[in-house]
Each structure stands twice: as structure tokens, then as C-alpha cells.
Coordinates of all heavy atoms in Angstrom, one line a residue:
A748 N -7.9 -88.3 52.2 CA -8.8 -87.1 52.2 C -9.9 -87.4 53.2 O -10.4 -88.5 53.2 CB -9.3 -86.9 50.8
A749 N -10.3 -86.4 53.9 CA -11.4 -86.6 54.9 C -12.7 -86.7 54.2 O -13.0 -85.9 53.2 CB -11.4 -85.4 55.8
R750 N -13.6 -87.6 54.6 CA -14.9 -87.7 54.0 C -15.8 -86.6 54.6 O -15.7 -86.3 55.8 CB -15.5 -89.1 54.4 CG -15.0 -90.2 53.6 CD -15.3 -90.2 52.1 NE -16.7 -90.4 51.9 CZ -17.5 -89.6 51.0 NH1 -16.9 -88.7 50.3 NH2 -18.7 -89.9 50.9
L751 N -16.7 -86.1 53.8 CA -17.6 -85.1 54.3 C -18.7 -85.8 55.1 O -19.2 -86.8 54.6 CB -18.3 -84.4 53.2 CG -17.4 -83.5 52.3 CD1 -18.1 -83.0 51.1 CD2 -16.9 -82.3 53.1
S752 N -18.9 -85.4 56.4 CA -19.9 -86.1 57.1 C -21.2 -85.3 56.9 O -21.3 -84.2 57.2 CB -19.5 -86.1 58.6 OG -19.4 -84.9 59.1
S753 N -22.1 -86.0 56.4 CA -23.4 -85.4 56.1 C -24.4 -86.6 56.3 O -24.2 -87.7 55.9 CB -23.5 -84.9 54.7 OG -24.7 -85.0 54.1
P754 N -25.5 -86.3 57.0 CA -26.5 -87.4 57.3 C -26.9 -88.0 56.0 O -27.1 -87.3 55.0 CB -27.6 -86.7 58.0 CG -27.1 -85.4 58.5 CD -25.9 -85.0 57.6
A755 N -27.0 -89.3 56.0 CA -27.4 -90.1 54.8 C -28.6 -89.5 54.2 O -29.6 -89.2 54.9 CB -27.5 -91.5 55.1
G756 N -28.6 -89.3 52.9 CA -29.8 -88.8 52.2 C -30.0 -87.3 52.3 O -30.9 -86.8 51.6
S757 N -29.2 -86.6 53.1 CA -29.5 -85.1 53.1 C -28.7 -84.5 51.9 O -27.6 -84.9 51.6 CB -29.0 -84.5 54.4 OG -27.6 -84.4 54.4
P758 N -29.3 -83.5 51.3 CA -28.7 -82.9 50.2 C -27.4 -82.1 50.6 O -27.5 -81.5 51.7 CB -29.7 -81.9 49.6 CG -30.7 -81.7 50.7 CD -30.6 -82.9 51.6
W759 N -26.3 -82.2 49.9 CA -25.2 -81.5 50.3 C -25.3 -80.0 49.8 O -26.1 -79.8 48.9 CB -23.9 -82.1 49.7 CG -23.9 -82.1 48.2 CD1 -24.4 -83.2 47.4 CD2 -23.5 -81.2 47.3 NE1 -24.3 -82.9 46.1 CE2 -23.7 -81.7 46.0 CE3 -22.9 -79.9 47.4 CZ2 -23.4 -80.9 44.8 CZ3 -22.6 -79.2 46.3 CH2 -22.8 -79.7 45.0
S760 N -24.6 -79.1 50.4 CA -24.7 -77.7 50.0 C -23.3 -77.3 49.5 O -22.3 -78.0 49.8 CB -25.2 -76.8 51.1 OG -24.1 -76.6 52.0
V761 N -23.3 -76.2 48.8 CA -22.0 -75.7 48.3 C -21.0 -75.5 49.4 O -19.8 -75.8 49.3 CB -22.3 -74.4 47.5 CG1 -20.9 -73.8 47.0 CG2 -23.1 -74.7 46.2
E762 N -21.5 -75.0 50.5 CA -20.7 -74.7 51.7 C -19.9 -76.0 52.2 O -18.9 -75.9 52.8 CB -21.5 -74.1 52.8 CG -21.8 -72.7 52.6 CD -22.9 -72.4 51.6 OE1 -23.7 -73.4 51.3 OE2 -23.0 -71.3 51.1
D763 N -20.5 -77.2 52.0 CA -19.9 -78.4 52.4 C -18.6 -78.7 51.6 O -17.7 -79.4 52.2 CB -20.8 -79.6 52.2 CG -22.1 -79.5 53.1 OD1 -22.0 -78.9 54.1 OD2 -23.1 -80.2 52.7
I764 N -18.5 -78.2 50.4 CA -17.4 -78.6 49.6 C -16.4 -77.5 49.3 O -15.3 -77.7 48.8 CB -17.8 -79.3 48.3 CG1 -18.7 -78.4 47.5 CG2 -18.5 -80.6 48.6 CD1 -19.0 -78.9 46.1
L765 N -16.9 -76.2 49.5 CA -16.0 -75.1 49.2 C -15.2 -74.7 50.4 O -15.7 -74.5 51.5 CB -16.8 -73.9 48.8 CG -17.3 -73.8 47.3 CD1 -18.0 -72.5 47.1 CD2 -16.3 -74.1 46.3
T766 N -13.9 -74.5 50.2 CA -13.0 -73.9 51.3 C -13.0 -72.4 51.0 O -13.5 -72.0 49.9 CB -11.6 -74.5 51.2 OG1 -11.0 -74.1 49.9 CG2 -11.6 -76.0 51.3
E767 N -12.4 -71.7 51.9 CA -12.4 -70.2 51.6 C -11.6 -69.9 50.4 O -11.9 -69.0 49.6 CB -11.8 -69.5 52.8 CG -12.8 -69.3 53.9 CD -12.2 -68.6 55.1 OE1 -11.4 -67.7 54.9 OE2 -12.6 -68.9 56.2
D768 N -10.6 -70.8 50.1 CA -9.8 -70.5 48.8 C -10.6 -70.7 47.6 O -10.4 -70.1 46.6 CB -8.6 -71.5 48.8 CG -7.6 -71.2 49.9 OD1 -7.6 -70.1 50.4 OD2 -6.8 -72.1 50.2
D769 N -11.6 -71.6 47.7 CA -12.5 -71.9 46.5 C -13.5 -70.8 46.3 O -14.1 -70.7 45.2 CB -13.2 -73.2 46.7 CG -12.3 -74.4 46.7 OD1 -11.2 -74.3 46.1 OD2 -12.6 -75.3 47.4
E770 N -13.7 -70.0 47.3 CA -14.8 -69.0 47.3 C -14.8 -68.1 46.1 O -15.8 -67.8 45.5 CB -14.8 -68.2 48.6 CG -16.1 -67.4 48.8 CD -17.3 -68.3 49.0 OE1 -17.2 -69.4 49.6 OE2 -18.4 -67.9 48.5
Q771 N -13.6 -67.7 45.6 CA -13.5 -66.8 44.5 C -13.9 -67.6 43.2 O -14.2 -66.9 42.2 CB -12.0 -66.3 44.4 CG -11.0 -67.4 44.1 CD -9.6 -66.9 44.2 OE1 -9.4 -65.9 44.8 NE2 -8.7 -67.7 43.8
D772 N -13.9 -68.9 43.2 CA -14.3 -69.6 42.0 C -15.8 -69.9 42.0 O -16.3 -70.5 41.0 CB -13.6 -71.0 42.0 CG -12.1 -70.8 41.8 OD1 -11.7 -69.8 41.2 OD2 -11.3 -71.6 42.2
R773 N -16.5 -69.5 43.0 CA -18.0 -69.8 43.0 C -18.7 -69.0 41.9 O -18.4 -67.8 41.7 CB -18.5 -69.4 44.4 CG -20.0 -69.8 44.5 CD -20.7 -69.1 45.7 NE -20.2 -69.8 46.9 CZ -21.0 -70.0 48.0 NH1 -22.3 -69.7 47.9 NH2 -20.5 -70.5 49.1
V774 N -19.6 -69.6 41.3 CA -20.4 -69.0 40.2 C -21.7 -68.5 40.8 O -22.4 -69.3 41.4 CB -20.6 -70.0 39.1 CG1 -21.5 -69.4 38.0 CG2 -19.3 -70.5 38.5
P775 N -22.1 -67.2 40.6 CA -23.3 -66.7 41.2 C -24.5 -67.5 40.6 O -24.5 -67.9 39.4 CB -23.4 -65.3 40.7 CG -22.0 -64.9 40.2 CD -21.3 -66.2 39.9
L776 N -25.6 -67.6 41.4 CA -26.7 -68.4 41.0 C -27.3 -67.9 39.7 O -27.7 -68.7 38.8 CB -27.8 -68.3 42.1 CG -28.8 -69.4 42.1 CD1 -28.1 -70.8 42.2 CD2 -29.7 -69.3 43.3
Q777 N -27.4 -66.6 39.5 CA -28.0 -66.0 38.3 C -27.2 -66.5 37.0 O -27.8 -66.7 36.0 CB -28.2 -64.5 38.3 CG -26.9 -63.7 38.4 CD -26.6 -63.4 39.9 OE1 -26.9 -64.2 40.7 NE2 -26.0 -62.2 40.1
K778 N -25.9 -66.6 37.2 CA -25.0 -67.1 36.1 C -25.4 -68.6 35.8 O -25.4 -69.1 34.7 CB -23.6 -67.0 36.4 CG -23.1 -65.6 36.5 CD -22.6 -65.1 35.1 CE -22.0 -63.7 35.3 NZ -21.0 -63.4 34.3
L779 N -25.5 -69.4 36.9 CA -25.9 -70.8 36.7 C -27.2 -71.0 36.0 O -27.4 -71.9 35.2 CB -25.9 -71.5 38.1 CG -24.6 -71.7 38.8 CD1 -24.8 -72.3 40.2 CD2 -23.6 -72.5 38.0
K780 N -28.1 -70.1 36.3 CA -29.4 -70.1 35.6 C -29.3 -70.0 34.1 O -30.0 -70.5 33.3 CB -30.4 -69.1 36.1 CG -30.9 -69.5 37.5 CD -31.9 -68.5 38.1 CE -32.4 -69.0 39.4 NZ -32.8 -68.0 40.3
L781 N -28.3 -69.2 33.7 CA -28.0 -69.0 32.2 C -27.7 -70.3 31.6 O -27.9 -70.5 30.4 CB -26.9 -68.0 32.0 CG -27.1 -66.5 32.4 CD1 -25.9 -65.7 32.3 CD2 -28.3 -65.9 31.7
L782 N -27.0 -71.2 32.3 CA -26.6 -72.5 31.8 C -27.9 -73.2 31.3 O -27.9 -73.9 30.3 CB -25.9 -73.3 32.8 CG -24.5 -72.8 33.2 CD1 -23.9 -73.7 34.3 CD2 -23.5 -72.8 32.0
G783 N -28.9 -73.2 32.2 CA -30.2 -73.8 31.8 C -30.9 -73.3 30.6 O -31.7 -73.9 30.0
E784 N -30.6 -72.0 30.3 CA -31.3 -71.3 29.2 C -30.5 -71.4 27.9 O -30.9 -71.0 26.9 CB -31.5 -69.9 29.6 CG -32.4 -69.7 30.8 CD -32.3 -68.3 31.4 OE1 -31.6 -67.4 30.8 OE2 -32.9 -68.1 32.5
S785 N -29.3 -72.0 27.9 CA -28.4 -72.1 26.7 C -28.9 -73.2 25.8 O -28.8 -74.3 26.1 CB -27.0 -72.3 27.2 OG -26.2 -72.6 26.0
E786 N -29.2 -72.7 24.6 CA -29.6 -73.7 23.5 C -28.3 -74.5 23.1 O -28.4 -75.7 22.9 CB -30.1 -73.0 22.3 CG -31.5 -72.4 22.5 CD -32.6 -73.4 22.8 OE1 -32.5 -74.5 22.3 OE2 -33.4 -73.1 23.7
E787 N -27.2 -73.9 23.1 CA -26.0 -74.6 22.7 C -25.7 -75.7 23.7 O -25.3 -76.8 23.3 CB -24.8 -73.6 22.6 CG -23.5 -74.3 22.1 CD -22.3 -73.4 22.2 OE1 -22.4 -72.2 22.7 OE2 -21.2 -73.8 21.8
L788 N -25.8 -75.4 25.0 CA -25.5 -76.4 26.0 C -26.5 -77.5 25.9 O -26.2 -78.7 26.0 CB -25.6 -75.7 27.4 CG -24.9 -76.4 28.5 CD1 -23.5 -76.8 28.2 CD2 -25.0 -75.6 29.8
R789 N -27.8 -77.2 25.7 CA -28.8 -78.2 25.6 C -28.5 -79.2 24.4 O -28.7 -80.4 24.5 CB -30.2 -77.6 25.4 CG -30.7 -77.0 26.7 CD -32.1 -76.5 26.4 NE -32.6 -75.8 27.6 CZ -33.8 -75.2 27.7 NH1 -34.7 -75.4 26.7 NH2 -34.1 -74.6 28.7
G790 N -28.0 -78.6 23.3 CA -27.7 -79.4 22.2 C -26.5 -80.3 22.5 O -26.6 -81.5 22.1
L791 N -25.5 -79.9 23.2 CA -24.4 -80.7 23.6 C -24.9 -81.9 24.5 O -24.4 -83.0 24.4 CB -23.3 -79.9 24.3 CG -22.5 -79.0 23.5 CD1 -21.6 -78.2 24.4 CD2 -21.7 -79.7 22.5
L792 N -25.8 -81.6 25.4 CA -26.3 -82.6 26.3 C -27.2 -83.6 25.7 O -27.5 -84.6 26.4 CB -27.0 -81.9 27.5 CG -26.1 -81.1 28.5 CD1 -26.9 -80.3 29.4 CD2 -25.2 -82.1 29.2
L793 N -27.5 -83.5 24.4 CA -28.2 -84.5 23.7 C -27.3 -85.7 23.4 O -27.8 -86.8 23.1 CB -28.8 -84.0 22.4 CG -30.0 -83.0 22.6 CD1 -30.4 -82.4 21.2 CD2 -31.2 -83.6 23.3
N794 N -26.0 -85.5 23.5 CA -25.0 -86.5 23.2 C -25.0 -87.5 24.3 O -24.6 -87.2 25.5 CB -23.6 -85.8 23.0 CG -22.5 -86.8 22.7 OD1 -22.5 -87.9 23.2 ND2 -21.7 -86.4 21.8
P795 N -25.4 -88.8 24.0 CA -25.4 -89.8 25.1 C -24.0 -90.1 25.7 O -23.9 -90.4 26.9 CB -25.9 -91.1 24.4 CG -26.0 -90.8 23.0 CD -25.8 -89.3 22.8
H796 N -23.0 -90.0 24.9 CA -21.6 -90.2 25.5 C -21.3 -89.1 26.5 O -20.8 -89.5 27.6 CB -20.6 -90.2 24.3 CG -19.2 -90.4 24.7 ND1 -18.8 -91.5 25.5 CD2 -18.1 -89.6 24.5 CE1 -17.5 -91.4 25.7 NE2 -17.0 -90.2 25.2
L797 N -21.6 -87.9 26.2 CA -21.3 -86.8 27.2 C -22.1 -87.0 28.4 O -21.6 -86.8 29.5 CB -21.6 -85.4 26.5 CG -21.5 -84.2 27.5 CD1 -20.1 -84.1 28.0 CD2 -22.0 -83.0 26.8
R798 N -23.4 -87.4 28.3 CA -24.2 -87.6 29.4 C -23.7 -88.7 30.3 O -23.7 -88.6 31.6 CB -25.7 -87.9 29.0 CG -26.3 -86.7 28.5 CD -27.5 -87.0 27.6 NE -28.7 -87.4 28.4 CZ -29.9 -87.2 28.0 NH1 -30.1 -86.5 26.9 NH2 -30.9 -87.7 28.7
Q799 N -23.1 -89.8 29.7 CA -22.5 -90.8 30.5 C -21.3 -90.3 31.3 O -21.1 -90.7 32.4 CB -22.2 -92.0 29.6 CG -21.8 -93.3 30.3 CD -22.8 -93.7 31.4 OE1 -23.9 -93.9 31.1 NE2 -22.4 -93.8 32.7
L800 N -20.5 -89.5 30.6 CA -19.3 -89.0 31.3 C -19.7 -88.1 32.5 O -19.1 -88.2 33.5 CB -18.5 -88.1 30.3 CG -17.8 -88.8 29.1 CD1 -17.1 -87.8 28.2 CD2 -16.9 -89.9 29.5
L801 N -20.7 -87.3 32.3 CA -21.2 -86.4 33.4 C -21.7 -87.2 34.5 O -21.5 -86.9 35.7 CB -22.2 -85.4 32.9 CG -21.6 -84.4 31.9 CD1 -22.8 -83.6 31.3 CD2 -20.6 -83.5 32.5
L802 N -22.5 -88.3 34.2 CA -23.0 -89.1 35.3 C -21.8 -89.8 36.1 O -21.9 -89.9 37.3 CB -23.9 -90.2 34.7 CG -25.3 -89.9 34.4 CD1 -26.0 -91.0 33.7 CD2 -26.0 -89.6 35.8
T803 N -20.8 -90.2 35.3 CA -19.7 -90.9 36.0 C -19.0 -89.9 36.9 O -18.6 -90.3 38.0 CB -18.7 -91.5 34.9 OG1 -19.5 -92.3 34.0 CG2 -17.6 -92.3 35.5
V804 N -18.8 -88.7 36.4 CA -18.1 -87.7 37.3 C -19.0 -87.4 38.5 O -18.5 -87.4 39.7 CB -17.9 -86.4 36.5 CG1 -17.5 -85.2 37.5 CG2 -16.8 -86.5 35.5
D805 N -20.3 -87.3 38.3 CA -21.2 -87.0 39.4 C -21.1 -88.1 40.5 O -21.2 -87.8 41.7 CB -22.6 -86.9 38.9 CG -23.5 -86.4 40.0 OD1 -23.2 -85.3 40.6 OD2 -24.6 -87.0 40.2
Q806 N -20.9 -89.3 40.1 CA -21.0 -90.4 41.1 C -19.6 -90.8 41.6 O -19.5 -91.6 42.5 CB -21.6 -91.6 40.4 CG -23.1 -91.4 40.1 CD -23.7 -92.4 39.1 OE1 -23.0 -93.3 38.6 NE2 -24.9 -92.2 38.8
A807 N -18.5 -90.2 41.0 CA -17.2 -90.6 41.4 C -16.7 -90.0 42.8 O -17.1 -88.9 43.1 CB -16.2 -90.1 40.3
E808 N -15.9 -90.8 43.4 CA -15.3 -90.4 44.7 C -14.2 -89.3 44.4 O -14.2 -88.3 45.0 CB -14.7 -91.5 45.4 CG -15.7 -92.5 46.1 CD -16.3 -91.9 47.3 OE1 -15.6 -91.2 48.1 OE2 -17.5 -92.0 47.5
D809 N -13.3 -89.7 43.5 CA -12.2 -88.8 43.1 C -12.5 -88.0 41.8 O -12.1 -88.4 40.8 CB -10.9 -89.7 43.0 CG -9.7 -88.8 42.7 OD1 -9.8 -87.6 42.7 OD2 -8.6 -89.4 42.6
K810 N -13.3 -87.0 42.0 CA -13.7 -86.2 40.8 C -12.6 -85.5 40.1 O -12.6 -85.4 38.9 CB -14.8 -85.2 41.3 CG -16.1 -85.8 41.7 CD -17.1 -84.7 42.1 CE -18.4 -85.2 42.6 NZ -18.7 -86.6 42.8
S811 N -11.6 -85.0 40.8 CA -10.5 -84.2 40.2 C -9.7 -85.1 39.2 O -9.4 -84.6 38.1 CB -9.6 -83.5 41.2 OG -9.0 -84.4 42.0
S812 N -9.3 -86.3 39.6 CA -8.5 -87.1 38.7 C -9.3 -87.5 37.5 O -8.8 -87.6 36.4 CB -7.9 -88.3 39.4 OG -8.8 -89.2 39.8
L813 N -10.6 -87.8 37.7 CA -11.5 -88.2 36.6 C -11.7 -87.0 35.6 O -11.6 -87.2 34.4 CB -12.9 -88.6 37.2 CG -13.8 -89.4 36.2 CD1 -13.0 -90.7 35.7 CD2 -15.0 -89.8 36.9
M814 N -11.8 -85.8 36.2 CA -11.9 -84.6 35.3 C -10.7 -84.4 34.5 O -10.8 -84.1 33.3 CB -12.1 -83.3 36.2 CG -13.4 -83.3 36.9 SD -14.8 -82.9 35.8 CE -14.5 -81.1 35.7
K815 N -9.5 -84.7 35.1 CA -8.2 -84.5 34.3 C -8.3 -85.5 33.1 O -7.9 -85.2 32.0 CB -7.0 -84.8 35.1 CG -6.7 -83.7 36.1 CD -5.3 -84.0 36.7 CE -5.0 -82.9 37.8 NZ -5.3 -83.3 39.1
K816 N -8.7 -86.7 33.4 CA -8.8 -87.7 32.3 C -9.8 -87.3 31.2 O -9.6 -87.4 30.0 CB -9.2 -89.1 32.9 CG -9.3 -90.2 32.0 CD -9.7 -91.5 32.7 CE -10.5 -92.4 31.8 NZ -11.3 -93.4 32.5
Y817 N -11.0 -86.8 31.7 CA -12.0 -86.4 30.7 C -11.7 -85.2 29.9 O -12.2 -85.0 28.8 CB -13.4 -86.2 31.5 CG -14.0 -87.5 31.8 CD1 -15.2 -87.5 32.6 CD2 -13.5 -88.8 31.5 CE1 -15.8 -88.7 33.0 CE2 -14.1 -90.0 31.8 CZ -15.3 -89.9 32.6 OH -15.9 -91.1 32.9
M818 N -10.8 -84.4 30.4 CA -10.4 -83.2 29.6 C -9.6 -83.6 28.4 O -9.2 -82.7 27.6 CB -9.6 -82.2 30.5 CG -10.5 -81.5 31.5 SD -12.0 -80.7 30.8 CE -11.3 -79.2 30.1
Q819 N -9.3 -84.9 28.2 CA -8.8 -85.4 27.0 C -9.9 -85.8 26.0 O -9.6 -86.1 24.8 CB -7.9 -86.7 27.2 CG -6.9 -86.6 28.3 CD -5.9 -85.4 28.1 OE1 -5.4 -85.3 27.0 NE2 -5.7 -84.6 29.1
E820 N -11.1 -85.8 26.4 CA -12.2 -86.2 25.6 C -12.8 -84.9 24.9 O -13.3 -84.0 25.6 CB -13.4 -86.8 26.4 CG -13.0 -88.1 27.1 CD -13.5 -89.3 26.4 OE1 -14.2 -89.1 25.3 OE2 -13.3 -90.4 26.8
P821 N -12.7 -84.9 23.5 CA -13.2 -83.7 22.8 C -14.6 -83.2 23.2 O -14.8 -82.0 23.4 CB -13.1 -84.1 21.4 CG -12.1 -85.2 21.3 CD -12.2 -85.9 22.6
V822 N -15.5 -84.2 23.4 CA -16.9 -83.8 23.7 C -17.0 -83.1 25.1 O -17.8 -82.2 25.3 CB -17.9 -84.9 23.5 CG1 -17.7 -86.0 24.5 CG2 -19.3 -84.5 23.5
F823 N -16.2 -83.6 26.0 CA -16.2 -83.1 27.4 C -15.6 -81.7 27.4 O -16.1 -80.8 28.0 CB -15.5 -84.0 28.3 CG -15.7 -83.7 29.8 CD1 -16.8 -84.2 30.4 CD2 -14.8 -82.9 30.5 CE1 -17.1 -83.9 31.7 CE2 -15.1 -82.7 31.8 CZ -16.2 -83.2 32.4
V824 N -14.5 -81.5 26.6 CA -13.9 -80.2 26.5 C -14.8 -79.2 25.9 O -14.9 -78.1 26.4 CB -12.6 -80.3 25.7 CG1 -12.0 -78.9 25.4 CG2 -11.6 -81.2 26.4
E825 N -15.6 -79.6 24.9 CA -16.5 -78.7 24.2 C -17.6 -78.3 25.2 O -18.0 -77.1 25.3 CB -17.2 -79.5 23.1 CG -17.9 -78.6 22.1 CD -18.6 -79.4 21.0 OE1 -18.3 -80.6 20.8 OE2 -19.4 -78.8 20.2
F826 N -18.1 -79.3 26.0 CA -19.1 -79.0 27.1 C -18.5 -78.0 28.1 O -19.1 -77.0 28.4 CB -19.5 -80.3 27.8 CG -20.2 -80.1 29.0 CD1 -21.6 -79.8 29.0 CD2 -19.6 -80.3 30.3 CE1 -22.3 -79.6 30.2 CE2 -20.3 -80.1 31.4 CZ -21.7 -79.8 31.4
A827 N -17.3 -78.3 28.6 CA -16.7 -77.4 29.6 C -16.5 -76.0 29.0 O -16.8 -75.0 29.7 CB -15.3 -78.0 30.0
D828 N -16.0 -75.9 27.8 CA -15.8 -74.6 27.2 C -17.1 -73.8 27.0 O -17.2 -72.6 27.2 CB -15.1 -74.7 25.8 CG -13.7 -75.1 25.9 OD1 -13.1 -75.0 27.0 OD2 -13.1 -75.5 24.8
C829 N -18.1 -74.5 26.6 CA -19.4 -73.9 26.5 C -19.9 -73.4 27.8 O -20.4 -72.2 27.9 CB -20.4 -75.0 25.9 SG -22.1 -74.3 25.7
C830 N -19.8 -74.1 28.9 CA -20.2 -73.7 30.2 C -19.4 -72.4 30.6 O -20.0 -71.5 31.1 CB -20.0 -74.8 31.3 SG -21.1 -76.2 31.1
L831 N -18.1 -72.5 30.4 CA -17.2 -71.3 30.8 C -17.6 -70.1 30.0 O -17.6 -69.0 30.5 CB -15.8 -71.6 30.5 CG -15.2 -72.6 31.6 CD1 -13.8 -73.0 31.2 CD2 -15.2 -71.9 33.0
R832 N -17.9 -70.2 28.7 CA -18.3 -69.0 27.9 C -19.6 -68.4 28.4 O -19.8 -67.2 28.3 CB -18.5 -69.4 26.4 CG -17.2 -69.5 25.6 CD -17.5 -69.6 24.1 NE -18.5 -70.6 23.7 CZ -18.1 -71.9 23.4 NH1 -16.9 -72.3 23.5 NH2 -19.1 -72.7 23.0
I833 N -20.5 -69.2 29.0 CA -21.7 -68.7 29.5 C -21.5 -68.0 30.8 O -22.0 -66.9 31.0 CB -22.8 -69.9 29.7 CG1 -23.1 -70.4 28.3 CG2 -24.0 -69.4 30.4 CD1 -23.8 -71.8 28.3
V834 N -20.8 -68.6 31.7 CA -20.6 -68.0 33.1 C -19.5 -66.9 33.1 O -19.5 -66.1 34.0 CB -20.4 -69.0 34.2 CG1 -21.6 -69.9 34.3 CG2 -19.1 -69.8 34.0
E835 N -18.6 -67.0 32.1 CA -17.5 -66.0 32.1 C -17.4 -65.5 30.6 O -16.5 -65.9 29.9 CB -16.2 -66.6 32.5 CG -16.0 -66.7 34.0 CD -14.6 -67.2 34.4 OE1 -13.7 -67.3 33.5 OE2 -14.4 -67.4 35.6
P836 N -18.3 -64.6 30.2 CA -18.2 -64.2 28.8 C -16.8 -63.6 28.5 O -16.3 -62.8 29.3 CB -19.3 -63.1 28.7 CG -20.2 -63.4 29.8 CD -19.4 -64.0 30.9
P837 N -16.2 -63.9 27.3 CA -14.9 -63.4 27.0 C -14.6 -62.0 27.2 O -13.5 -61.6 27.6 CB -14.7 -63.8 25.5 CG -15.7 -64.9 25.3 CD -16.9 -64.7 26.3
E838 N -15.6 -61.1 26.9 CA -15.3 -59.7 27.0 C -15.0 -59.2 28.4 O -14.5 -58.1 28.6 CB -16.4 -58.8 26.3 CG -17.7 -58.8 27.1 CD -18.7 -60.0 26.7 OE1 -18.2 -60.9 26.0 OE2 -19.8 -59.9 27.2
K839 N -15.4 -60.0 29.4 CA -15.1 -59.6 30.8 C -13.8 -60.1 31.3 O -13.4 -59.7 32.4 CB -16.3 -60.0 31.7 CG -17.6 -59.3 31.3 CD -18.6 -59.6 32.3 CE -19.9 -58.8 32.0 NZ -21.1 -59.5 32.4
E840 N -13.1 -60.9 30.6 CA -11.9 -61.5 31.1 C -10.8 -60.5 30.9 O -10.8 -59.7 30.0 CB -11.5 -62.7 30.3 CG -12.3 -64.0 30.7 CD -11.9 -65.2 29.9 OE1 -10.9 -65.1 29.2 OE2 -12.7 -66.2 30.0
N841 N -9.8 -60.5 31.8 CA -8.6 -59.7 31.7 C -7.6 -60.5 30.8 O -7.0 -61.4 31.3 CB -8.0 -59.4 33.0 CG -8.9 -58.6 33.9 OD1 -9.6 -57.8 33.4 ND2 -8.9 -58.9 35.2
V842 N -7.6 -60.2 29.6 CA -6.7 -60.9 28.7 C -5.3 -60.4 28.7 O -5.1 -59.2 28.5 CB -7.3 -60.9 27.2 CG1 -6.4 -61.7 26.3 CG2 -8.7 -61.4 27.2
L843 N -4.4 -61.2 29.1 CA -3.0 -60.8 29.1 C -2.4 -60.8 27.7 O -2.6 -61.7 27.0 CB -2.2 -61.7 30.0 CG -2.6 -61.7 31.5 CD1 -1.8 -62.8 32.2 CD2 -2.3 -60.4 32.2
P844 N -1.6 -59.7 27.4 CA -0.9 -59.7 26.1 C 0.1 -60.9 26.0 O 0.7 -61.3 27.0 CB -0.2 -58.4 26.1 CG -0.1 -57.9 27.5 CD -1.2 -58.6 28.2
E845 N 0.2 -61.5 24.8 CA 1.1 -62.6 24.6 C 2.5 -62.2 25.0 O 3.0 -61.2 24.6 CB 1.0 -63.1 23.2 CG -0.3 -63.7 22.8 CD -0.5 -65.1 23.4 OE1 0.4 -65.9 23.2 OE2 -1.6 -65.3 23.9

């Protein structure tokens, strides 16, 4: 995989890591702000184990394989589900009939 070239110490931007295919998965900024306002999410983040997992993902080179592994961790799944409920409330989803 090609390394992103970015001057050392400069903050990366979303554009650095999103391809056009990923664009549809981008979460609008106002939705991201809701994450910061969620009491449920704040409660989950009090868990030191979850915080360690998130730090590890943040610092990892291969984030996708680490995420697959962490999706086996109940506390991480609970965190991910909570985030998704905030940015994609269930009533707006197109639910396919079984």
C-alpha cells in the first residue's frame, strides 16, 4: 500500500484518506458534532479498555485488519453501534424486508 506523503507534523485531512468511492461514506460535520454531545457515548468512553483499543487503532498502520479483530470485542462493538445510531438514526435507514 502506498504511504500518504504528508509533511511531518502536518495534520492530515479527510481528503488525504478518502477516495471517490469512500465519499458516500463520509459523515457530515454536524452529525459528527452529535457524537460529542451523546451522553451514552461519553459513558462508554469512560471504559479504560475501550479507550486503549481506540488508541491502538488510532496509532496502527493497518487499521482495517485491526478493526476486524476488534469487532470481536463486545465493548468495541457497543461503541461502534452507538456511533452508528447517532450518525444514522434507524428511522432514516432503508430497511429491506427479510
Side-chain angles (χ1 to χ4, degrees):
R750 286 291 294 137
L751 296 171
S752 60
S753 148
S757 79
W759 59 270
S760 77
V761 174
E762 283 74 19
D763 294 336
I764 57 170
L765 282 188
T766 63
E767 280 181 35
D768 293 342
D769 297 326
E770 194 61 39
Q771 64 192 14
D772 294 331
R773 185 192 289 219
V774 177
L776 204 54
Q777 62 268 30
K778 293 267 186 153
L779 290 177
K780 287 184 176 151
L781 295 175
L782 294 173
E784 296 163 8
S785 166
E786 290 299 322
E787 183 187 2
L788 197 54
R789 285 184 189 182
L791 289 173
L792 288 169
L793 293 174
N794 181 320
H796 180 55
L797 175 60
R798 286 160 74 149
Q799 189 54 57
L800 295 179
L801 292 171
L802 275 172
T803 307
V804 169
D805 187 50
Q806 294 161 1
E808 286 287 317
D809 186 0
K810 292 180 181 5
S811 61
S812 67
L813 197 57
M814 291 284 282
K815 286 192 185 95
K816 181 179 151 200
Y817 283 175
M818 288 310 279
Q819 310 302 314
E820 295 260 359
V822 69
F823 194 84
V824 172
E825 193 180 352
F826 167 78
D828 287 346
C829 180
C830 290
L831 285 172
R832 279 196 306 275
I833 295 165
V834 297
E835 286 187 3
E838 69 271 10
K839 292 190 180 148
E840 281 178 13
N841 298 324
V842 181
L843 295 173
E845 294 283 313

